[in-house]
Amino acid sequence: MEDWTEQQVKQLSAHPGKRMFIYFYTPMCGTCKVTERMLQVILAMKPELPIVKCNINFSPDLAQRWQLESVPCIAYVVDGEAADKRYRMQSVDDLLRWFQHKE
């Protein structure tokens, strides 16, 4: 999973019709590390899943604009706006179902 800057996220997510998932994290967050491992498993099963990660510490504009409440957070972005956000990552199966529901 590629680590993107706030600028990269803004540029790509602003394209009309573009749908993607952005995993917001902080490097010192233990729950974020567990979430990232779950996402790695999901990406091994579904490598075409459009998901990138972004350090929220360096993304203050996105955090404010999309009203991100905490990390870890996975934002489902459609046409440059967060259409849905997920903060609770229960299991790989649960996350996989959430991703499949959005596709």
Side-chain angles (χ1 to χ4, degrees):
M1 182 174 11
E2 242 183 283
D3 205 342
W4 282 22
T5 65
E6 182 176 56
Q7 190 60 32
Q8 287 173 300
V9 170
K10 285 179 178 180
Q11 287 174 350
L12 189 62
S13 66
H15 291 288
K18 183 70 177 173
R19 296 171 181 234
M20 63 188 301
F21 298 96
I22 303 162
Y23 162 57
F24 289 96
Y25 73 99
T26 61
M28 299 302 289
C29 169
T31 308
C32 295
K33 291 182 189 322
V34 172
T35 298
E36 187 163 344
R37 279 187 238 125
M38 286 192 275
L39 291 172
Q40 289 170 346
V41 170
I42 290 169
L43 284 170
M45 293 186 287
K46 296 183 67 67
E48 73 283 356
L49 193 65
I51 184 166
V52 296
K53 66 181 185 174
C54 186
N55 185 337
I56 200 166
N57 292 327
F58 301 115
S59 305
D61 292 341
L62 288 176
Q64 185 176 13
R65 188 172 102 202
W66 292 343
Q67 298 177 348
L68 303 179
E69 298 169 19
S70 65
V71 291
C73 175
I74 300 173
Y76 175 55
V77 180
V78 179
D79 296 328
E81 292 301 321
D84 195 8
K85 294 174 275 190
R86 184 170 180 121
Y87 297 98
R88 189 171 180 194
M89 318 311 165
Q90 295 175 315
S91 67
V92 170
D93 289 341
D94 186 53
L95 268 178
L96 187 57
R97 279 191 297 276
W98 185 74
F99 285 125
Q100 290 171 334
H101 182 262
K102 302 294 179 196
E103 290 185 306

